[in-house]
Amino acid sequence: MACEHRDSHERHYLPAHNGLIAPHPACRECGYIKNISPDKAKKLGYFANVLAEMKNYRGEKLLSDAQIRLILKELEKVEGFDDDYFMTFTTQKAAFIKAVRKYSSLSPSFVKSFLSS
Ligand SMILES: [Zn+2]
């Protein structure tokens, strides 16, 4: 069962992504320290929207509904995909490109062009 994560009030002073010490909240439930870098994970809905955009790309149907369902299922299988405490957008992008490539012949750079940087 995945933890919903709720920020604790106390802060842990740890190095952040830029190497500087910064106050990090931890989860009150599981104790996990939150990723506070700007490389913030997005919700699954963001990737569902990206897939919808790819589906109707310039009047061309690049993905079918069945492919989209399979790709989203694949992302749901990635442990903690939606978990913004430890997942980063960079990791999500890699998993997304891999999943799209598994069920379509779209090139990685083309898929990447749909994702914000
Ligand atoms: Zn938690």
Side-chain angles (χ1 to χ4, degrees):
M1 195 56 198
C3 181
E4 292 289 324
H5 297 314
R6 291 192 302 154
D7 289 1
S8 61
H9 293 297
E10 77 261 49
R11 295 289 181 264
H12 302 262
Y13 286 83
L14 296 164
H17 63 286
N18 54 11
L20 298 174
I21 303 294
H24 291 64
C27 174
R28 277 193 266 178
E29 312 295 331
C30 70
Y32 203 91
I33 307 271
K34 192 176 193 172
N35 162 36
I36 59 164
S37 88
D39 187 13
K40 222 171 140 16
K42 299 203 186 290
K43 291 288 170 196
L44 198 60
Y46 166 81
F47 295 95
N49 285 335
V50 169
L51 289 168
E53 246 179 77
M54 290 169 72
K55 184 185 155 184
N56 294 310
Y57 177 71
R58 295 182 182 168
E60 255 185 281
K61 221 170 149 71
L62 297 181
L63 292 172
S64 68
D65 288 333
Q67 281 171 306
I68 290 177
R69 265 198 305 278
L70 288 167
I71 292 163
L72 287 174
K73 261 210 156 71
E74 195 73 13
L75 294 180
E76 281 166 16
K77 276 195 282 180
V78 176
E79 209 188 335
F81 185 81
D82 235 355
D83 189 329
D84 65 357
Y85 257 60
F86 74 96
M87 186 53 77
T88 62
F89 188 42
T90 301
T91 307
Q92 285 182 317
K93 280 197 269 195
F96 180 76
I97 292 167
K98 199 174 150 201
V100 174
R101 300 260 297 148
K102 184 169 176 182
Y103 295 107
S104 76
S105 54
L106 301 173
S107 80
S109 58
F110 181 77
V111 176
K112 216 173 166 183
S113 71
F114 284 86
L115 299 165
S116 50
S117 48

